[in-house]
Amino acid sequence: MALTAPSASFLTAHSAILVFLVMGIGFLVMNLIVWRIIRPSRFSEEKLTTYECGENPTGSAWIQFNIRFYVFALIFIIFDVEAVFLLPWAVVFRRLGEEGEGWARLLPYFEGLVFIAILVVALTYVWRKGDLEWVRAEDRT
């Protein structure tokens, strides 16, 4: 199978992509060069330290954090993503119910209920496990 050169119409149709890429990379390189030229280069011990929200860093950065911070973050992300899945369903819910006959019209409603039920079960599990409390009962003693 011999390789053939692309046709002129193909190159014309896709030339905008090439121009966009060249302009984007050129803009990036130009900004990096201008930044390198005009930035001040006065380094000091204070500027080279780790920035900690305006506070002077104390101690080592290699400390252990409480795992609850990560658990809270993961729980938030899980339920936040689930809310993102629920929003499109709620927006088109009425239109979904108009399609079909008989029980098929109620299918989107039942699918939404199953989805919400799974979320409620997950929330109940996390709640009963005690992962929604900052200080657990065994840590209080």
Side-chain angles (χ1 to χ4, degrees), residues 6 37-38 40 49 51 54 56 59 61 63-65 68 78 84 89-90 114-116 123 127 133 135 139:
I37 293 170
I38 66 172
T49 61
Y51 181 72
N56 291 329
I63 60 171
Q64 289 184 342
F65 285 95
R68 286 189 205 111
I78 289 169
V84 168
W89 173 81
V114 168
F115 189 77
I116 292 171
L123 181 63
W127 193 345
E133 296 180 19
V135 180
D139 293 341

mmCIF file of all heavy atoms in Angstrom, residues 6 37-38 40 49 51 54 56 59 61 63-65 68 78 84 89-90 114-116 123 127 133 135 139:
data_model
loop_
_atom_site.group_PDB
_atom_site.id
_atom_site.type_symbol
_atom_site.label_atom_id
_atom_site.label_comp_id
_atom_site.label_asym_id
_atom_site.label_seq_id
_atom_site.Cartn_x
_atom_site.Cartn_y
_atom_site.Cartn_z
ATOM 1 N N PRO A 6 -1.513 14.126 0.927
ATOM 2 C CA PRO A 6 -2.873 14.618 1.145
ATOM 3 C C PRO A 6 -3.282 15.598 0.050
ATOM 4 O O PRO A 6 -2.456 16.316 -0.505
ATOM 5 C CB PRO A 6 -2.814 15.302 2.505
ATOM 6 C CG PRO A 6 -1.411 15.270 2.954
ATOM 7 C CD PRO A 6 -0.613 14.489 1.995
ATOM 8 N N ILE A 37 12.602 38.648 30.480
ATOM 9 C CA ILE A 37 13.318 39.920 30.310
ATOM 10 C C ILE A 37 12.915 40.938 31.368
ATOM 11 O O ILE A 37 13.775 41.615 31.950
ATOM 12 C CB ILE A 37 13.069 40.481 28.887
ATOM 13 C CG1 ILE A 37 13.727 39.574 27.850
ATOM 14 C CG2 ILE A 37 13.578 41.906 28.764
ATOM 15 C CD1 ILE A 37 13.348 39.896 26.428
ATOM 16 N N ILE A 38 11.622 41.077 31.664
ATOM 17 C CA ILE A 38 11.180 42.178 32.510
ATOM 18 C C ILE A 38 11.056 41.832 33.992
ATOM 19 O O ILE A 38 10.871 42.725 34.813
ATOM 20 C CB ILE A 38 9.830 42.755 32.025
ATOM 21 C CG1 ILE A 38 8.704 41.734 32.192
ATOM 22 C CG2 ILE A 38 9.926 43.247 30.611
ATOM 23 C CD1 ILE A 38 7.329 42.295 31.909
ATOM 24 N N PRO A 40 11.996 41.039 37.850
ATOM 25 C CA PRO A 40 13.140 41.314 38.710
ATOM 26 C C PRO A 40 13.779 40.004 39.156
ATOM 27 O O PRO A 40 13.091 39.018 39.376
ATOM 28 C CB PRO A 40 12.532 42.065 39.895
ATOM 29 C CG PRO A 40 11.110 41.656 39.911
ATOM 30 C CD PRO A 40 10.731 41.350 38.488
ATOM 31 N N THR A 49 12.054 30.643 50.702
ATOM 32 C CA THR A 49 11.415 29.751 51.654
ATOM 33 C C THR A 49 10.034 29.349 51.150
ATOM 34 O O THR A 49 9.457 29.987 50.271
ATOM 35 C CB THR A 49 11.264 30.419 53.042
ATOM 36 O OG1 THR A 49 10.451 31.572 52.903
ATOM 37 C CG2 THR A 49 12.601 30.769 53.636
ATOM 38 N N TYR A 51 6.169 29.123 50.953
ATOM 39 C CA TYR A 51 5.105 30.072 51.284
ATOM 40 C C TYR A 51 3.978 29.336 51.986
ATOM 41 O O TYR A 51 3.437 28.376 51.462
ATOM 42 C CB TYR A 51 4.585 30.751 50.015
ATOM 43 C CG TYR A 51 3.503 31.750 50.286
ATOM 44 C CD1 TYR A 51 3.791 32.958 50.876
ATOM 45 C CD2 TYR A 51 2.183 31.470 49.973
ATOM 46 C CE1 TYR A 51 2.799 33.893 51.140
ATOM 47 C CE2 TYR A 51 1.177 32.388 50.226
ATOM 48 C CZ TYR A 51 1.501 33.597 50.813
ATOM 49 O OH TYR A 51 0.518 34.505 51.068
ATOM 50 N N GLY A 54 1.127 33.292 54.207
ATOM 51 C CA GLY A 54 1.523 34.488 54.922
ATOM 52 C C GLY A 54 2.172 34.212 56.259
ATOM 53 O O GLY A 54 2.633 35.132 56.926
ATOM 54 N N ASN A 56 5.084 32.323 58.688
ATOM 55 C CA ASN A 56 6.429 31.764 58.605
ATOM 56 C C ASN A 56 6.349 30.260 58.867
ATOM 57 O O ASN A 56 5.749 29.832 59.851
ATOM 58 C CB ASN A 56 7.352 32.415 59.633
ATOM 59 C CG ASN A 56 7.644 33.853 59.283
ATOM 60 O OD1 ASN A 56 7.679 34.210 58.111
ATOM 61 N ND2 ASN A 56 7.847 34.668 60.294
ATOM 62 N N GLY A 59 8.988 24.117 61.638
ATOM 63 C CA GLY A 59 9.112 22.664 61.659
ATOM 64 C C GLY A 59 9.312 22.079 60.275
ATOM 65 O O GLY A 59 9.472 22.783 59.277
ATOM 66 N N ALA A 61 8.303 19.852 56.903
ATOM 67 C CA ALA A 61 7.126 19.664 56.054
ATOM 68 C C ALA A 61 6.673 18.212 56.046
ATOM 69 O O ALA A 61 5.596 17.902 55.563
ATOM 70 C CB ALA A 61 7.427 20.116 54.632
ATOM 71 N N ILE A 63 5.295 16.041 58.108
ATOM 72 C CA ILE A 63 4.529 15.678 59.288
ATOM 73 C C ILE A 63 3.306 14.886 58.851
ATOM 74 O O ILE A 63 2.856 15.001 57.712
ATOM 75 C CB ILE A 63 4.107 16.919 60.104
ATOM 76 C CG1 ILE A 63 3.241 17.836 59.268
ATOM 77 C CG2 ILE A 63 5.305 17.642 60.658
ATOM 78 C CD1 ILE A 63 2.613 18.973 60.038
ATOM 79 N N GLN A 64 2.759 14.104 59.774
ATOM 80 C CA GLN A 64 1.571 13.323 59.448
ATOM 81 C C GLN A 64 0.320 14.144 59.731
ATOM 82 O O GLN A 64 0.192 14.747 60.788
ATOM 83 C CB GLN A 64 1.531 12.052 60.277
ATOM 84 C CG GLN A 64 2.576 11.052 59.867
ATOM 85 C CD GLN A 64 2.425 9.761 60.648
ATOM 86 O OE1 GLN A 64 1.787 9.717 61.685
ATOM 87 N NE2 GLN A 64 3.027 8.706 60.129
ATOM 88 N N PHE A 65 -0.580 14.165 58.753
ATOM 89 C CA PHE A 65 -1.862 14.828 58.919
ATOM 90 C C PHE A 65 -2.897 13.808 59.352
ATOM 91 O O PHE A 65 -2.781 12.611 59.055
ATOM 92 C CB PHE A 65 -2.323 15.470 57.602
ATOM 93 C CG PHE A 65 -1.582 16.714 57.263
ATOM 94 C CD1 PHE A 65 -0.493 16.678 56.419
ATOM 95 C CD2 PHE A 65 -1.976 17.930 57.791
ATOM 96 C CE1 PHE A 65 0.190 17.826 56.104
ATOM 97 C CE2 PHE A 65 -1.303 19.080 57.488
ATOM 98 C CZ PHE A 65 -0.203 19.040 56.641
ATOM 99 N N ARG A 68 -8.676 12.208 58.716
ATOM 100 C CA ARG A 68 -10.041 12.720 58.575
ATOM 101 C C ARG A 68 -10.118 13.842 57.546
ATOM 102 O O ARG A 68 -11.154 14.033 56.918
ATOM 103 C CB ARG A 68 -10.574 13.184 59.920
ATOM 104 C CG ARG A 68 -10.905 12.023 60.790
ATOM 105 C CD ARG A 68 -11.635 12.436 62.043
ATOM 106 N NE ARG A 68 -11.378 11.411 63.033
ATOM 107 C CZ ARG A 68 -10.648 11.572 64.107
ATOM 108 N NH1 ARG A 68 -10.158 12.737 64.388
ATOM 109 N NH2 ARG A 68 -10.439 10.577 64.924
ATOM 110 N N ILE A 78 -17.187 12.921 46.359
ATOM 111 C CA ILE A 78 -18.144 11.892 45.923
ATOM 112 C C ILE A 78 -19.549 12.476 45.815
ATOM 113 O O ILE A 78 -20.225 12.343 44.792
ATOM 114 C CB ILE A 78 -18.113 10.691 46.874
ATOM 115 C CG1 ILE A 78 -16.814 9.916 46.683
ATOM 116 C CG2 ILE A 78 -19.311 9.785 46.654
ATOM 117 C CD1 ILE A 78 -16.559 8.877 47.739
ATOM 118 N N VAL A 84 -23.638 16.603 40.495
ATOM 119 C CA VAL A 84 -23.433 16.977 39.090
ATOM 120 C C VAL A 84 -24.160 16.002 38.170
ATOM 121 O O VAL A 84 -24.679 16.396 37.128
ATOM 122 C CB VAL A 84 -21.919 17.038 38.768
ATOM 123 C CG1 VAL A 84 -21.660 17.121 37.286
ATOM 124 C CG2 VAL A 84 -21.281 18.204 39.495
ATOM 125 N N TRP A 89 -30.199 15.247 34.877
ATOM 126 C CA TRP A 89 -31.389 14.413 34.971
ATOM 127 C C TRP A 89 -32.587 15.252 35.383
ATOM 128 O O TRP A 89 -33.675 15.113 34.832
ATOM 129 C CB TRP A 89 -31.138 13.288 35.967
ATOM 130 C CG TRP A 89 -32.345 12.474 36.275
ATOM 131 C CD1 TRP A 89 -32.863 11.463 35.522
ATOM 132 C CD2 TRP A 89 -33.205 12.618 37.400
ATOM 133 N NE1 TRP A 89 -33.981 10.955 36.123
ATOM 134 C CE2 TRP A 89 -34.220 11.650 37.286
ATOM 135 C CE3 TRP A 89 -33.217 13.460 38.507
ATOM 136 C CZ2 TRP A 89 -35.220 11.510 38.225
ATOM 137 C CZ3 TRP A 89 -34.207 13.322 39.442
ATOM 138 C CH2 TRP A 89 -35.198 12.356 39.291
ATOM 139 N N ALA A 90 -32.409 16.147 36.343
ATOM 140 C CA ALA A 90 -33.522 16.988 36.800
ATOM 141 C C ALA A 90 -33.954 17.977 35.725
ATOM 142 O O ALA A 90 -35.145 18.289 35.597
ATOM 143 C CB ALA A 90 -33.109 17.746 38.061
ATOM 144 N N VAL A 114 -33.662 5.356 42.482
ATOM 145 C CA VAL A 114 -32.617 4.384 42.785
ATOM 146 C C VAL A 114 -31.286 5.097 43.015
ATOM 147 O O VAL A 114 -30.549 4.789 43.958
ATOM 148 C CB VAL A 114 -32.499 3.334 41.653
ATOM 149 C CG1 VAL A 114 -31.242 2.504 41.801
ATOM 150 C CG2 VAL A 114 -33.731 2.451 41.626
ATOM 151 N N PHE A 115 -30.985 6.073 42.179
ATOM 152 C CA PHE A 115 -29.746 6.836 42.305
ATOM 153 C C PHE A 115 -29.701 7.560 43.651
ATOM 154 O O PHE A 115 -28.703 7.510 44.372
ATOM 155 C CB PHE A 115 -29.639 7.817 41.136
ATOM 156 C CG PHE A 115 -28.327 8.511 41.041
ATOM 157 C CD1 PHE A 115 -27.226 7.855 40.537
ATOM 158 C CD2 PHE A 115 -28.195 9.825 41.446
ATOM 159 C CE1 PHE A 115 -26.004 8.493 40.437
ATOM 160 C CE2 PHE A 115 -26.983 10.472 41.352
ATOM 161 C CZ PHE A 115 -25.889 9.798 40.847
ATOM 162 N N ILE A 116 -30.790 8.221 44.010
ATOM 163 C CA ILE A 116 -30.850 8.948 45.282
ATOM 164 C C ILE A 116 -30.811 7.960 46.450
ATOM 165 O O ILE A 116 -30.181 8.239 47.479
ATOM 166 C CB ILE A 116 -32.097 9.841 45.321
ATOM 167 C CG1 ILE A 116 -31.949 10.979 44.300
ATOM 168 C CG2 ILE A 116 -32.328 10.409 46.714
ATOM 169 C CD1 ILE A 116 -33.193 11.792 44.091
ATOM 170 N N LEU A 123 -24.528 7.795 52.432
ATOM 171 C CA LEU A 123 -24.462 8.804 53.480
ATOM 172 C C LEU A 123 -24.745 8.192 54.850
ATOM 173 O O LEU A 123 -24.064 8.502 55.835
ATOM 174 C CB LEU A 123 -25.446 9.936 53.189
ATOM 175 C CG LEU A 123 -25.460 11.076 54.195
ATOM 176 C CD1 LEU A 123 -24.105 11.768 54.221
ATOM 177 C CD2 LEU A 123 -26.553 12.069 53.859
ATOM 178 N N TRP A 127 -22.139 8.131 57.921
ATOM 179 C CA TRP A 127 -22.603 8.755 59.162
ATOM 180 C C TRP A 127 -22.497 7.771 60.338
ATOM 181 O O TRP A 127 -21.989 8.090 61.404
ATOM 182 C CB TRP A 127 -24.032 9.219 58.979
ATOM 183 C CG TRP A 127 -24.549 10.147 60.047
ATOM 184 C CD1 TRP A 127 -24.018 10.410 61.268
ATOM 185 C CD2 TRP A 127 -25.716 10.930 59.955
ATOM 186 N NE1 TRP A 127 -24.778 11.306 61.943
ATOM 187 C CE2 TRP A 127 -25.850 11.646 61.156
ATOM 188 C CE3 TRP A 127 -26.691 11.094 58.985
ATOM 189 C CZ2 TRP A 127 -26.898 12.508 61.400
ATOM 190 C CZ3 TRP A 127 -27.734 11.958 59.238
ATOM 191 C CH2 TRP A 127 -27.827 12.665 60.433
ATOM 192 N N GLU A 133 -17.687 13.157 61.774
ATOM 193 C CA GLU A 133 -17.366 13.898 62.986
ATOM 194 C C GLU A 133 -15.869 14.198 63.010
ATOM 195 O O GLU A 133 -15.052 13.340 62.699
ATOM 196 C CB GLU A 133 -17.740 13.083 64.223
ATOM 197 C CG GLU A 133 -19.226 12.831 64.328
ATOM 198 C CD GLU A 133 -19.565 12.026 65.564
ATOM 199 O OE1 GLU A 133 -18.743 11.979 66.487
ATOM 200 O OE2 GLU A 133 -20.655 11.440 65.575
ATOM 201 N N VAL A 135 -14.093 14.904 65.720
ATOM 202 C CA VAL A 135 -13.491 14.219 66.863
ATOM 203 C C VAL A 135 -14.351 12.999 67.156
ATOM 204 O O VAL A 135 -15.517 13.119 67.514
ATOM 205 C CB VAL A 135 -13.425 15.146 68.097
ATOM 206 C CG1 VAL A 135 -12.807 14.417 69.266
ATOM 207 C CG2 VAL A 135 -12.647 16.395 67.769
ATOM 208 N N ASP A 139 -11.451 9.084 70.309
ATOM 209 C CA ASP A 139 -10.379 10.073 70.417
ATOM 210 C C ASP A 139 -10.616 11.039 71.574
ATOM 211 O O ASP A 139 -9.703 11.761 71.958
ATOM 212 C CB ASP A 139 -10.260 10.868 69.110
ATOM 213 C CG ASP A 139 -9.789 9.991 67.968
ATOM 214 O OD1 ASP A 139 -9.231 8.916 68.246
ATOM 215 O OD2 ASP A 139 -9.979 10.398 66.801
#
